Amino acid sequence: MVRAVVIGDARTRILDAAEELFAGGGYEATPTAVIARLAKVPKGLIFHYFPRKIDVLVALVDERTLVEEGREVDAVPGDPARTLSRLARGLPLRASPAMRRILFREADTHGSVKERLGRLNGELIRRARFALELALPGARGDAARLEVAAATFAAVLLYQENLCQLTGHQIDPDAVAELIAHSLL
């Protein structure tokens, strides 16, 4: 029995294959023929969906990295550590560890990737700062310290898989939240 291939299914397989390959060896080192082979599609089908190889990378970045909007911050007044821990667990960050590696690897050479990484980082900082402001209402006058704390927390959330891959050590967001909270108290 032959199964009909759904058109969207092929596009998804192409993006899945590209994500895996770009994360492993990088964009420049990944020929479209290898993407097609891993996706189990003819090479020409890649160019049907993505006229140029760079369009595959742009689609990955646009479609697979974002912070979903409309989430409330679950702040614990007086407890910035628990507030940041809850934020880390409930953060609707859609970027797999592979996509995070791609973002950091390709940001230096591709402007659209650099822009997306900047927007993700900015949104994470904004949410962490807001959560800290709710947890520490008296600290609102110390905006610079809250901004640094939020930026540090956002950096850990975005970069933790890269650090784990480089060092073999997983970063515990709860421990980072505790460290940041102690620096603010």
Side-chain angles (χ1 to χ4, degrees), residues 65 93 95-105 117 156-162:
T65 59
L93 173 64
S96 68
M99 281 308 305
R100 294 180 205 190
R101 283 193 298 280
I102 292 168
L103 285 171
F104 282 97
R105 173 183 280 144
L117 181 59
V156 170
L157 291 180
L158 275 177
Y159 202 60
Q160 65 183 333
E161 282 86 10
N162 290 28

Side-chain angles (χ1 to χ4, degrees), residues 15-182:
L15 289 175
D16 290 345
E19 181 176 343
E20 180 181 331
L21 294 166
F22 293 170
Y27 169 83
E28 293 297 332
T30 304
T32 53
V34 175
I35 297 170
R37 192 174 324 121
L38 184 61
K40 296 183 170 98
V41 300
K43 183 178 173 184
L45 192 56
I46 292 176
F47 295 108
H48 169 75
Y49 291 114
F50 310 100
R52 301 168 301 151
K53 180 180 160 188
I54 189 66
D55 296 325
V56 176
L57 178 63
V58 170
L60 273 175
V61 169
D62 285 348
E63 296 173 22
R64 297 190 175 188
T65 59
L66 62 97
V67 177
E68 294 172 13
E69 307 232 355
R71 290 286 189 121
E72 296 285 323
V73 174
D74 189 15
V76 181
D79 193 342
R82 246 175 75 207
T83 296
L84 288 176
S85 291
R86 285 180 174 184
L87 178 65
R89 281 190 196 87
L91 191 67
L93 173 64
R94 234 183 19 127
S96 68
M99 281 308 305
R100 294 180 205 190
R101 283 193 298 280
I102 292 168
L103 285 171
F104 282 97
R105 173 183 280 144
E106 305 300 336
D108 285 340
T109 55
H110 297 91
S112 62
V113 177
K114 182 178 184 174
E115 181 211 338
R116 176 55 67 116
L117 181 59
R119 287 195 334 249
L120 276 174
N121 189 55
E123 180 62 17
L124 291 174
I125 291 170
R126 187 192 66 72
R127 288 187 188 201
R129 185 180 54 238
F130 182 63
L132 288 170
E133 288 172 350
L134 291 174
L136 298 168
R140 288 183 194 263
D142 197 359
R145 286 181 64 214
L146 291 180
E147 184 73 17
V148 169
T152 302
F153 196 67
V156 170
L157 291 180
L158 275 177
Y159 202 60
Q160 65 183 333
E161 282 86 10
N162 290 28
L163 288 174
C164 184
Q165 185 179 27
L166 292 170
T167 66
H169 294 95
Q170 182 66 37
I171 298 171
D172 179 8
D174 293 336
V176 174
E178 283 287 332
L179 183 67
I180 290 170
H182 286 299

